[in-house]
Amino acid sequence: MSYFEELHPEMDRYLEETASKEPEILKRLRKETFQKTTQPHMISGYLQGRLLSLISKMISPEKILEIGTFTGYAALCLAEGLQKEGKLITLDVNEDLAYLPKKYFSESEFSSQIDFKLQDAKEFLRTSTEIFDLIFIDADKENYAEYLQLVKPRMKSGSVLMIDNVLWYGKVLDEKGNKQTEQIKLVNKLVAEDADFENVILPLRDGIHLARKK
């Protein structure tokens, strides 16, 4: 569920009806996510998934980094644009849910290209020297600003960054908010004011901050 869905669900349905079709494996994963998880709304979902796929295909990345795997839906969408020898690293710390992304990654055509790590993203970024063409952040909101600081050196000129949930159900318009809200507002401000980035917030679902490193 997103802020936009709550305001105008009929428009959301229309957008889904006029978007490219969802691959069958993603349809099954989405269904199982709603059946077996307590917070299925965390899945990227149909429209956002098609956007992630399109952007990945436009970039044709060799290396993708995803922070926050959940059940693996977004990772599979992003993998659709990988180069033939490309690699996607996706990071999460939820061991209890790991069986779901592992199951669908192994069934997918990208099984040999997806590296699913049960590892803290901050720890990974502090030790990794890899440079990524495409980065997607969709994890614990309290660490968004720190994630931004850590991923920026892992980007080259032309690399694309996407940060999810940056409208936060409209709460970014509130003068005061909790720690999650304040971190989201902060990361939006940091990206917008960083001269190294070109950026725009897309009001799709719960908002995606799209930025390109100059």
Side-chain angles (χ1 to χ4, degrees), residues 30 43 65 129 167:
R30 188 153 58 102
I43 195 170
L65 175 65
T129 58
L167 296 182

Side-chain angles (χ1 to χ4, degrees), residues 38-142:
T38 57
Q39 294 181 300
H41 63 278
M42 289 172 57
I43 195 170
S44 285
Y46 194 143
L47 287 175
Q48 184 170 305
R50 290 305 87 208
L51 175 68
L52 297 180
S53 172
L54 274 174
I55 290 175
S56 185
K57 287 174 180 175
M58 289 174 184
I59 299 169
S60 189
E62 182 181 357
K63 290 186 180 179
I64 299 174
L65 175 65
E66 179 187 43
I67 299 175
T69 311
F70 190 44
T71 58
Y73 190 99
L76 288 172
C77 293
L78 292 166
E80 292 177 29
L82 273 173
Q83 293 182 21
K84 189 175 181 181
E85 303 301 323
K87 178 176 70 171
L88 183 152
I89 296 174
T90 180
L91 307 166
D92 210 298
V93 294
N94 191 337
E95 295 183 12
D96 294 335
L97 205 58
Y99 75 96
L100 257 181
K102 285 180 179 178
K103 171 185 173 181
Y104 283 89
F105 291 162
S106 66
E107 291 179 13
S108 78
E109 61 184 293
F110 312 109
S111 58
S112 64
Q113 295 177 277
I114 297 177
D115 183 5
F116 175 39
K117 297 180 182 292
L118 280 168
Q119 183 179 2
D120 180 84
K122 297 189 293 295
E123 175 189 303
F124 172 83
L125 288 164
R126 289 184 184 122
T127 57
S128 173
T129 58
E130 292 191 73
I131 301 298
F132 297 93
D133 306 295
L134 178 57
I135 298 174
F136 181 50
I137 301 176
D138 184 15
D140 46 317
K141 316 309 173 194
E142 295 92 340

Side-chain angles (χ1 to χ4, degrees), residues 105-208:
F105 291 162
S106 66
E107 291 179 13
S108 78
E109 61 184 293
F110 312 109
S111 58
S112 64
Q113 295 177 277
I114 297 177
D115 183 5
F116 175 39
K117 297 180 182 292
L118 280 168
Q119 183 179 2
D120 180 84
K122 297 189 293 295
E123 175 189 303
F124 172 83
L125 288 164
R126 289 184 184 122
T127 57
S128 173
T129 58
E130 292 191 73
I131 301 298
F132 297 93
D133 306 295
L134 178 57
I135 298 174
F136 181 50
I137 301 176
D138 184 15
D140 46 317
K141 316 309 173 194
E142 295 92 340
N143 290 306
Y144 263 20
E146 187 172 2
Y147 288 146
L148 175 64
Q149 180 184 25
L150 289 169
V151 300
K152 187 178 176 183
R154 306 272 66 81
M155 300 172 69
K156 61 185 179 182
S157 176
S159 291
V160 169
L161 170 66
M162 292 184 286
I163 308 172
D164 199 16
N165 304 113
V166 294
L167 296 182
W168 205 226
Y169 301 93
K171 295 175 187 176
V172 289
L173 298 179
D174 298 341
E175 288 188 16
K176 292 183 179 180
N178 59 22
K179 187 176 181 180
Q180 288 182 319
T181 305
E182 291 307 311
Q183 280 293 300
I184 290 169
K185 291 166 70 173
L186 174 60
V187 82
N188 286 338
K189 184 174 185 288
L190 291 172
V191 174
E193 294 178 353
D194 192 326
D196 291 331
F197 287 121
E198 300 172 278
N199 74 295
V200 65
I201 292 178
L202 304 175
L204 179 71
R205 202 161 185 264
D206 197 26
I208 297 178

